[in-house]
Amino acid sequence: MAASEFLIPPLRPGAHIAVIAPAGPPKPGRLEPVPGWLRERGYEATLLPSCFGPPPLDFLAAPDAVRLADVHTAFSAPNFDAVLALRGGSGCIRLLDAIDLDLLAASRKLLIGYSDLTVLHALRTRAGIPSLHAPMPASDWGLPGAQADTDALFHRLDTGWRAGDVVGRADRHPLTRGGSARGRLIGGNLAMFCALLGTPYLPDLDGGLLFIEDISEEPYRVDRMLSQLRLAGALDRIAGLLVGSFSGAESSDAVLADHLPRLRCPVLAGWPSGHGQPNRPLPLGVIAEMDAAAGTLILR
């Protein structure tokens, strides 16, 4: 099949992946195995300087200038075929007003990551370029219970994504409601997506399928963020809502059950992506059809 028929082309064997740390620093022992993990999967890796610090604040992997330079290098250097975030945490949003948007828009390289990377996914979506919400090495790879998610990521890097591919399936969930919807997949981490409201970096919401997930957010904070989306008119503009995991805190199901019935669009809940496990790869910035009754998401 011609490369032009792929929505997200596969990475060729031996592809060179740039590993960047645009957000938080890795925990001890989580950086050193990364090149070996990628070699085991048939890829070449280069860890860019942001991976090595020093952190100017304890929640940042490296100074803003270093992390910014690595974003630009990863997307512009011709020897890199894809860009992999080391981990999430916090810090990507500090870079947005300094990122060369024309440079990013000129590069079709796949960005891989999730969590704080939501704001960089937003830039790719705004430029009309797909990206991948997927497990990251310092956060997920090699951890107990995460092998299936990591295997699913590398399977898709090997095969790519085409129109008609079934992204996945969600089990029946009490918060699921409505029928089918079609639109561009946008979103990611709820807190980071809300942080983009009122900025020039928010993706176009009109007719989109909004994916949300989060970690360590107590129910009152999830309520606040969903209220913010509602008050900003965001939830009136989307064609459908895809709800991933909300983990690491008291269950937010009651808050979600309070908010979601107010929506005029279909809701597909229990999607197997987010900070919990499973965390299956989810392409963003592509057109998909969501069937809430069947629990499926199909690329179009």
Side-chain angles (χ1 to χ4, degrees), residues 30-280:
R30 296 296 297 169
L31 177 63
E32 294 79 8
V34 175
W37 283 334
L38 286 165
R39 280 195 301 272
E40 290 173 2
R41 300 287 185 160
Y43 301 116
E44 182 181 352
T46 294
L47 304 182
L48 271 62
S50 57
C51 296
F52 302 99
L57 298 168
D58 60 6
F59 57 86
L60 296 176
D64 289 351
V66 175
R67 292 180 294 115
L68 176 67
D70 280 2
V71 171
H72 289 156
T73 298
F75 282 104
S76 64
N79 56 310
F80 295 135
D81 301 298
V83 182
L84 172 65
L86 182 64
R87 59 154 294 184
S90 183
C92 288
I93 201 166
R94 293 168 60 104
L95 308 179
L96 289 190
D97 58 347
I99 287 176
D100 186 335
L101 300 181
D102 291 335
L103 183 153
L104 259 65
S107 171
R108 302 291 302 185
K109 295 175 188 177
L110 184 64
L111 172 66
I112 306 161
Y114 72 107
S115 188
D116 200 61
L117 276 292
T118 295
V119 300
L120 298 187
H121 286 310
L123 298 185
R124 305 302 277 161
T125 298
R126 284 175 53 85
I129 301 170
S131 58
L132 199 56
H133 179 287
M136 299 174 289
S139 303
D140 308 278
W141 299 5
L143 296 181
Q147 188 63 46
D149 295 329
T150 307
D151 288 344
L153 166 61
F154 282 102
H155 170 70
R156 278 305 184 175
L157 293 181
D158 290 341
T159 64
W161 299 88
R162 294 172 292 185
D165 283 355
V166 178
V167 177
R169 185 181 302 273
D171 294 333
R172 292 185 64 85
H173 194 285
L175 295 176
T176 293
R177 52 181 292 274
S180 61
R182 180 180 177 133
R184 190 172 304 279
L185 277 164
I186 57 177
N189 179 258
L190 176 61
M192 296 314 304
F193 196 79
C194 285
L196 293 175
L197 293 171
T199 75
Y201 308 105
L202 186 73
D204 183 10
L205 296 171
D206 292 339
L209 300 180
L210 176 61
F211 168 67
I212 58 172
E213 62 82 32
D214 221 316
I215 184 171
S216 300
E217 297 288 2
E218 295 297 332
Y220 77 93
R221 291 179 57 85
V222 175
D223 177 72
R224 180 188 300 159
M225 290 184 283
L226 291 174
S227 297
Q228 184 182 8
L229 287 176
R230 177 179 61 83
L231 294 170
L235 299 179
D236 294 328
R237 297 164 58 187
I238 60 175
L241 183 69
L242 186 66
V243 183
S245 63
F246 282 74
S247 58
E250 181 183 342
S251 173
S252 293
D253 282 357
V255 168
L256 291 166
D258 181 63
H259 278 267
L260 300 189
R262 307 178 197 179
L263 301 184
R264 297 194 294 265
C265 65
V267 175
L268 177 52
W271 190 258
S273 298
H275 282 76
Q277 293 171 358
N279 183 19
R280 298 295 196 260

